[in-house]
Amino acid sequence: MTDLLARLSKIERLEEELVSKARSIHQPGSPMYFVDLFAIGAANRTLAQSRGFRSMIEEKNFPSAAILLRTQIDTAMRVNGIRYLDRPEAQLREVFEGTKTFRQLVSSKQTKKNRNVLMQDKLLLEWLQEDEPWIATIYTGASDFVHLSFRHLFASIQNIEDAEGIINFSVSGKDQVKGESAYFEICDEFYRVSKLTCIFILGLMIARHAK
């Protein structure tokens, strides 16, 4: 097994672990809360993004893999944000029923003017960074791929001939990389973010169902 396949297999094992542990927490006949429904949705999204990430790496599609890394951070941000949510059951019910979006929900935290703050991405990231400061660098780098930027151009560079001042491009939708090592860092980052996300999801479930 190559080093890249070992990393992808590690990510896949994390997917299996999330399913196994979530199943052991949610026993048949146990009560179901809106926080549970949110956690189940988060688990499904985490697994879908993880499968998609592995597929993108195998297809040499770094830009799409980076987007999935960024959205995996988004999942971690929102699941972590539940502990800062005022009246989580009542408010998540509004999201479930479609009368509000997550960003319109009210946090239990207050500003200096004694006003509650909304669950905006900027604040969710700040709260996550308080415990996981390493997330900021990964978030910033992956965000470059969410919107069109010159990072997408760099993925199309086939080679550079310095002496002649020539840059050759290959516009094919596939990365122009040589060797698997180009994917080691993003795979390690994705695993780290996914593991954190799984911990948050399982924590939500355990808080309501552990005996």
Side-chain angles (χ1 to χ4, degrees):
M1 180 181 292
T2 66
D3 289 339
L4 181 58
L5 285 177
R7 283 171 164 82
L8 295 177
S9 295
K10 188 178 179 182
I11 293 171
E12 186 175 11
R13 287 196 299 273
L14 186 61
E15 298 166 18
E16 296 168 353
E17 184 179 345
L18 174 60
V19 173
S20 175
K21 290 185 176 180
R23 186 182 290 122
S24 68
I25 296 169
H26 276 283
Q27 296 295 324
S30 60
M32 187 70 70
Y33 305 96
F34 283 102
V35 171
D36 291 318
L37 298 178
F38 186 80
I40 291 171
N44 191 59
R45 185 188 196 211
T46 297
L47 293 170
Q49 291 175 162
S50 187
R51 290 180 59 205
F53 177 86
R54 290 190 287 108
S55 177
M56 291 301 98
I57 294 297
E58 290 168 355
E59 291 295 321
K60 294 186 177 181
N61 189 340
F62 189 98
S64 294
I67 291 173
L68 289 170
L69 170 59
R70 169 62 180 79
T71 53
Q72 198 78 309
I73 297 174
D74 178 78
T75 305
M77 286 163 47
R78 293 194 174 202
V79 178
N80 178 63
I82 296 300
R83 58 179 168 147
Y84 301 105
L85 188 60
D86 184 44
R87 299 177 299 109
E89 278 297 306
Q91 291 207 81
L92 287 176
R93 178 171 185 166
E94 293 182 285
V95 177
F96 181 82
E97 293 174 345
T99 57
K100 282 189 178 181
T101 66
F102 193 89
R103 290 173 178 168
Q104 293 174 316
L105 301 185
V106 177
S107 167
S108 58
K109 285 178 170 283
Q110 294 184 330
T111 64
K112 293 180 180 179
K113 296 181 180 180
N114 202 35
R115 291 184 301 182
N116 291 101
V117 296
L118 300 181
M119 304 290 283
Q120 300 291 317
D121 287 353
K122 180 181 178 181
L123 287 175
L124 293 174
L125 179 60
E126 288 179 3
W127 296 338
L128 181 57
Q129 284 180 237
E130 289 175 2
D131 297 318
E132 311 293 340
W134 54 270
I135 206 78
T137 300
I138 300 176
Y139 181 92
T140 301
S143 293
D144 284 345
F145 290 92
V146 174
H147 304 289
L148 181 61
S149 69
F150 280 108
R151 292 291 294 273
H152 297 89
L153 171 71
F154 301 152
S156 68
I157 296 177
Q158 190 171 37
N159 60 66
I160 300 175
E161 300 175 18
D162 292 328
E164 294 80 12
I166 297 174
I167 302 177
N168 295 310
F169 298 95
S170 177
V171 182
S172 63
K174 276 202 170 187
D175 304 329
Q176 303 304 306
V177 298
K178 296 179 181 179
E180 295 183 340
S181 60
Y183 301 104
F184 288 175
E185 183 177 3
I186 193 173
C187 285
D188 292 341
E189 290 174 344
F190 191 87
Y191 176 82
R192 192 177 186 187
V193 170
S194 296
K195 185 174 183 178
L196 180 66
T197 307
C198 291
I199 290 172
F200 288 156
I201 292 170
L202 294 171
L204 275 185
M205 295 178 176
I206 290 172
R208 284 158 180 77
H209 297 280
K211 295 180 181 180

